Amino acid sequence: MKFLKEHLPLLVLVFSFSVATFSQKSNSKEIKRLEKIAQQVSIIRDNWGIAHVYGKTDADAVFGMLYAQCEDDFKRVEMNYIEKLGRLSELKGQSVLYNDLEIKLLIDTEEAKADYKRAAPWLKKLLNSYADAINFYLHKHPEVKPALLTHFEPWFPLLWTDGSIGAISTADLTTGELKSFYSGNTDKVAYVEREKNVQTGSNGFAIAPSKTASGNAILYINPHTTFYFRPEIQMSSEEGLNAYGAVTWGQFFIYQGFNESCGWMHTSSNVDVADMYAENIVTKNNKLFYEYDNKLLPVIEKMIIIKYLENGQLIPKTFKTYYTNHGPIMAKRDGKWISLKSNNRSMKSLEQSWVRTKAKGFEEYKKAMDLKANTSNNTVYADKEGNIAYWHGNFIPIRDKKLNWSKVMDGTTPATQWKGLHNVSETVHSYNPTNGWLQNCNSTPYSVAGENSPKKENYLPYMAPDGESFRGLNAVRLLSKGKDYTLDKIIADGYDTKLTAFEVLIPALLSAFEKNIKSNDPLYSELIEPINLLKKWDYYTHENSIASTLAIEWAYKLDPIIQKVYVDEGQMDQVENTHNFAKNAVPEQLIPQLQLVIKELTIKFGTWQIPWGEMNRFQRNSGDIELVYNDSIPSLPIGYGPAIWGSLPAFKSAFQKDTKKRYGTNGNSFVCAVEFGPKIKAKSLLAGGNSSDPKSKHFYDQAESYREGKFKEVLFYKEDVQKNAERTYHPGQ
């Protein structure tokens, strides 16, 4: 014992040195392994800064793709996984505490780790390459200081298994209800509520050979997301991979894009993929039970610890959470605990996200759809054989058709359980309709092919509760009369700025004014000039249109029911609500709102005669995720309008802190048109540029083109990429 006491410091020092030496050797070995992988990967940056990644294997391509993503915007790669890990509170404090709790209830990290361990060898290789690439990037760039994640694990992608911007489905449950249940109070200090009825949207068009000038199918890819949410990239390998398109930061598959054989565009779906259950909770011997099938089963309790930042310190907060056989308890309604059954992450979903990118045609793509794991997307498809197709959702549980599944279900009976998944053939879909085109604009599938669309009466209500949208009406109008489509023509249709909602709303305003405001009324002289301007307006937005400014600002002040775009079974959709509102509105619901717009514009600008482009601006002044906007620094005028009123090119803008003007935050981001002939022809466009570094020429090099809707040629074939190469290198060089 005396020997140990006298020599313990020395023994500790020797042991520490040995561990450090071993760690250094281990780390050196690991770096050599990653260097070897990097040498198998080539990245060619073209003259727009787009990364074209080439590897021997699919895993090599994933390595290069993730490395390139980190070069372009490591902050967004990291932030997406901080969010999916439920660790935002470690950066933002208590303000997002219950957002983290919601994620941890719905996306289980232990399940993700278990999935990684049992993943098929091919998938495990891709997952390992994902982590290897990001960790290698951080090793090579010590100047990059992660906000939180200094090491990335290969199971991280199993937390987020499709590329949708809306990562989770919670049925009709809110974060506010979650907080109320688990905290006992309803103040909004510790969460940020999800916006439920705000339409961001996406457009997808597929044109059959019968409607194109070349006799080749054409696909139009137009996701509406937060700007800079997805970069543009190409990934290729000698194992049959060659995909181009948009990838969500930190994911390793092309989410919306194409390969040499086919292309896929995803629009957000309102298919019912998550259900609420009212649980009958009983306490016996100080333990909680829930009633199911005439039995009392123990409520599962899990302790979840979330750390939040406060005064520079991480403070742990422990939640006792509850689960039944349906899922986690998320709320309390009418005295009942409400559980949620959902499928917010699954390994099969990640497998599907990958295998579809390698599909060599219609039959292979249908096999990918048969995995039935895509919970959040509709799919618009086209291929080189001339096929066009549409699927409304993909993961659709089989349920009792007598029940309204938009309501809270009785959790005590097996009658409300899911009974497997519907086969794809049973779900709403359309293959090669005779009209020669397909469209979806986050709208009902029952107008996807005009008169040739699937019939609503042939499908169960929970398969397609989605209503019609004003963009959908606009798309059907254009595609119904279109012919001889080329890439430029489909882009032109995709950039049609007609605000179809105002075909309904403006006549109601004009009628109310003419019938109720007499010429001797002071209000008449105040409003007659703007009224006449709106009377002459053709409902199209453009930079110089004053009527666009008046109409858009006015519409946002009307009854909020006309902005309700996501509907449940049996509810009226946005188009029906707008028609209903216009038909029944009294003057007090229409005229004072225009008067207020005139007043606000005059106060801000000294006149109400403000062209839309002067009000509606695009500004990118830093690489921050949360941008700050400023009227006093340069910005670009944008002529496109909000998707919610029917504009196909979407530009959602809002007044920002201390600004008089509106600044865009989401809408058209990555847009692409592709023709599937003997050789791929494609054109694309990004908001701003592909790099998040303000010092890079590719930070803002597409901004003016974005304003004009002027697309660049896609460089798909390696010889074309090499001719336009700006830099060729291996990761780490």
Side-chain angles (χ1 to χ4, degrees):
M1 183 65 69
K2 182 179 179 183
F3 174 85
L4 279 176
K5 285 183 179 179
E6 290 176 352
H7 294 87
L8 185 60
L10 180 61
L11 288 171
V12 169
L13 180 62
V14 170
F15 177 74
S16 299
F17 179 77
S18 299
V19 170
T21 304
F22 174 78
S23 178
Q24 288 169 8
K25 286 181 179 178
S26 175
N27 189 54
S28 176
K29 184 178 179 181
E30 176 71 358
I31 295 305
K32 285 181 179 179
R33 181 182 70 84
L34 296 178
E35 292 277 10
K36 185 178 179 181
I37 295 173
Q39 289 302 306
Q40 297 174 180
V41 180
S42 294
I43 301 173
I44 304 177
R45 295 279 183 174
D46 69 21
N47 49 2
W48 293 99
I50 309 301
H52 303 259
V53 179
Y54 303 93
K56 290 184 179 298
T57 66
D58 288 353
D60 292 340
V62 166
F63 185 96
M65 186 226 231
L66 265 297
Y67 192 92
Q69 284 189 49
C70 291
E71 289 181 307
D72 288 331
D73 204 332
F74 173 77
K75 290 192 299 294
R76 281 181 166 83
V77 171
E78 182 190 16
M79 190 56 69
N80 278 342
Y81 285 97
I82 291 174
E83 179 187 356
K84 299 307 175 293
L85 286 161
R87 296 180 64 184
L88 278 174
S89 300
E90 294 178 42
L91 296 178
K92 298 184 177 184
Q94 286 197 69
S95 64
V96 291
L97 187 62
Y98 287 88
N99 298 88
D100 278 349
L101 178 61
E102 184 175 64
I103 288 289
K104 285 182 174 292
L105 285 168
L106 299 178
I107 301 177
D108 192 310
T109 57
E110 295 307 313
E111 289 179 2
K113 292 174 185 178
D115 275 352
Y116 170 73
K117 289 179 181 177
R118 64 183 181 86
W122 69 265
L123 180 58
K124 189 168 284 189
K125 287 178 183 177
L126 304 184
L127 292 165
N128 290 341
S129 274
Y130 151 89
D132 283 346
I134 303 175
N135 293 327
F136 185 57
Y137 170 81
L138 290 174
H139 166 72
K140 286 291 186 178
H141 294 81
E143 76 282 2
V144 173
K145 305 300 180 187
L148 190 62
L149 305 179
T150 57
H151 186 80
F152 282 69
E153 298 292 343
W155 51 267
F156 281 7
L158 287 158
L159 299 171
W160 191 13
T161 50
D162 74 27
S164 175
I165 191 168
I168 60 172
S169 299
T170 61
D172 192 38
L173 294 164
T174 68
T175 316
E177 288 181 294
L178 179 78
K179 187 202 171 185
S180 179
F181 181 85
Y182 281 108
S183 73
N185 68 68
T186 57
D187 65 78
K188 204 176 176 181
V189 174
Y191 70 96
V192 177
E193 193 62 81
R194 293 184 309 280
E195 294 181 293
K196 292 194 66 177
N197 286 316
V198 176
Q199 189 179 47
T200 50
S202 296
N203 305 331
F205 307 154
I207 312 297
S210 62
K211 292 287 184 179
T212 67
S214 66
N216 301 319
I218 290 176
L219 181 67
Y220 184 69
I221 298 169
N222 182 203
H224 301 162
T225 67
T226 307
F227 295 155
Y228 329 118
F229 185 75
R230 294 190 182 107
E232 182 174 349
I233 202 164
Q234 182 176 17
M235 57 190 312
S236 303
S237 81
E238 295 174 15
E239 293 183 335
L241 173 69
N242 189 8
Y244 190 108
V247 57
T248 302
W249 295 111
Q251 295 190 317
F252 61 73
F253 54 88
I254 300 294
Y255 176 60
Q256 291 155 322
F258 57 93
N259 59 36
E260 289 179 289
S261 301
C262 61
W264 52 95
M265 166 59 199
H266 297 304
T267 59
S268 297
S269 179
N270 200 37
V271 171
D272 186 353
V273 296
D275 289 317
M276 302 170 288
Y277 291 84
E279 306 287 2
N280 186 26
I281 303 297
V282 176
T283 303
K284 290 182 67 175
N285 299 323
N286 294 320
K287 292 184 178 181
L288 293 172
F289 297 83
Y290 65 97
E291 181 186 347
Y292 182 74
D293 196 17
N294 297 316
K295 301 182 185 71
L296 288 181
L297 304 176
V299 172
I300 298 167
E301 298 181 359
K302 293 183 183 179
M303 307 305 289
I304 292 178
I305 300 173
I306 299 175
K307 297 175 183 177
Y308 63 89
L309 186 66
E310 187 171 281
N311 298 322
Q313 301 292 317
L314 287 178
I315 312 297
K317 182 173 179 61
T318 301
F319 294 91
K320 181 189 284 188
T321 63
Y322 307 98
Y323 297 74
T324 70
N325 62 338
H326 299 112
I329 302 297
M330 303 289 287
K332 187 175 185 178
R333 291 184 183 178
D334 301 323
K336 294 279 189 179
W337 285 17
I338 307 298
S339 61
L340 178 72
K341 188 172 182 63
S342 62
N343 189 46
N344 282 302
R345 51 140 250 110
S346 77
M347 185 157 60
K348 188 179 286 189
S349 174
L350 187 60
E351 290 171 355
Q352 185 179 34
S353 295
W354 177 262
V355 299
R356 67 180 177 230
T357 68
K358 297 184 71 174
K360 298 306 179 188
F362 198 26
E363 294 308 313
E364 286 193 21
Y365 201 91
K366 284 193 285 187
K367 286 181 181 177
M369 294 299 289
D370 283 339
L371 289 170
K372 297 181 290 188
N374 194 328
T375 59
S376 62
N377 298 306
N378 308 316
T379 305
V380 184
Y381 169 93
D383 68 29
K384 69 178 181 181
E385 301 301 324
N387 296 297
I388 62 172
Y390 175 78
W391 294 271
H392 197 73
N394 184 239
F395 171 93
I396 306 179
I398 299 170
R399 304 165 168 103
D400 187 332
K401 62 184 179 182
K402 298 188 296 292
L403 301 176
N404 182 341
W405 287 85
S406 67
K407 307 298 183 184
V408 178
M409 295 291 103
D410 179 358
T412 68
T413 171
T416 57
Q417 286 285 47
W418 293 355
K419 299 171 179 64
L421 298 176
H422 283 282
N423 290 328
V424 175
S425 60
E426 299 171 337
T427 66
V428 189
H429 64 278
S430 179
Y431 299 159
N432 296 316
T434 56
N435 56 295
W437 55 264
L438 290 163
Q439 66 79 31
N440 185 256
C441 299
N442 306 109
S443 45
T444 173
Y446 305 126
S447 64
V448 71
E451 294 179 356
N452 298 99
S453 301
K455 304 304 178 188
K456 186 175 184 178
E457 59 268 22
N458 294 334
Y459 298 93
L460 294 166
Y462 59 73
M463 288 182 169
D466 319 56
E468 188 57 274
S469 73
F470 283 108
R471 279 182 294 122
L473 293 178
N474 204 5
V476 170
R477 173 182 67 86
L478 291 163
L479 296 173
S480 294
K481 64 183 181 182
K483 60 181 181 179
D484 296 328
Y485 275 101
T486 62
L487 291 183
D488 289 337
K489 181 169 172 47
I490 196 64
I491 288 169
D493 275 6
Y495 270 69
D496 187 279
T497 65
K498 188 173 187 179
L499 301 184
T500 42
F502 291 110
E503 292 181 308
V504 179
L505 293 170
I506 294 297
L509 171 65
L510 299 178
S511 176
F513 182 83
E514 291 167 356
K515 290 179 180 178
N516 296 281
I517 309 300
K518 307 303 179 185
S519 58
N520 59 352
D521 188 329
L523 193 56
Y524 183 90
S525 58
E526 182 182 345
L527 294 182
I528 186 59
E529 194 175 351
I531 285 288
N532 284 336
L533 199 63
L534 290 169
K535 186 183 293 186
K536 297 173 185 175
W537 185 41
D538 62 1
Y539 308 125
Y540 285 84
T541 65
H542 53 82
E543 287 182 21
N544 299 319
S545 172
I546 296 170
S548 298
T549 302
L550 294 176
I552 292 167
E553 294 301 316
W554 170 71
Y556 281 127
K557 298 183 185 301
L558 302 179
D559 190 327
I561 192 66
I562 68 174
Q563 296 185 55
K564 188 176 188 298
V565 293
Y566 295 112
V567 298
D568 291 325
E569 181 182 338
Q571 295 180 334
M572 287 198 298
D573 64 29
Q574 185 201 11
V575 174
E576 292 169 326
N577 279 326
T578 302
H579 277 279
N580 192 51
F581 169 76
K583 179 182 177 181
N584 298 305
V586 297
E588 290 74 22
Q589 292 176 285
L590 299 165
I591 296 173
Q593 291 76 9
L594 180 62
Q595 188 181 19
L596 183 57
V597 169
I598 299 299
K599 180 180 179 181
E600 288 176 348
L601 289 172
T602 303
I603 290 172
K604 282 183 179 180
F605 300 102
T607 176
W608 57 266
Q609 295 174 315
I610 302 299
W612 180 235
E614 187 172 333
M615 165 83 78
N616 194 48
R617 312 294 289 188
F618 177 82
Q619 187 178 83
R620 189 183 195 191
N621 50 44
S622 81
D624 295 343
I625 294 176
E626 296 179 7
L627 292 177
V628 176
Y629 300 90
N630 192 326
D631 288 335
S632 66
I633 62 178
S635 60
L636 291 175
I638 300 295
Y640 319 129
I644 194 169
W645 308 126
S647 178
L648 289 176
F651 189 82
K652 183 186 174 187
S653 61
F655 299 109
Q656 306 294 329
K657 186 176 184 294
D658 300 324
T659 71
K660 293 181 179 180
K661 299 177 181 180
R662 289 179 165 274
Y663 291 91
T665 54
N666 64 40
N668 276 24
S669 45
F670 167 77
V671 192
C672 184
V674 55
E675 179 180 324
F676 296 95
K679 290 195 71 175
I680 289 289
K681 295 180 183 177
K683 293 185 176 184
S684 67
L685 184 59
L686 278 176
N690 205 56
S691 173
S692 69
D693 182 0
K695 298 174 185 175
S696 168
K697 69 178 182 180
H698 302 303
F699 176 75
Y700 204 63
D701 58 344
Q702 295 185 56
E704 188 60 43
S705 297
Y706 182 81
R707 172 193 176 187
E708 298 172 359
K710 184 178 179 182
F711 283 49
K712 64 186 183 295
E713 297 285 341
V714 165
L715 303 172
F716 184 73
Y717 296 99
K718 192 169 184 178
E719 59 266 29
D720 296 323
V721 175
Q722 289 171 326
K723 288 176 187 174
N724 294 275
E726 195 171 78
R727 184 182 171 215
T728 301
Y729 60 102
H730 300 296
Q733 287 184 335

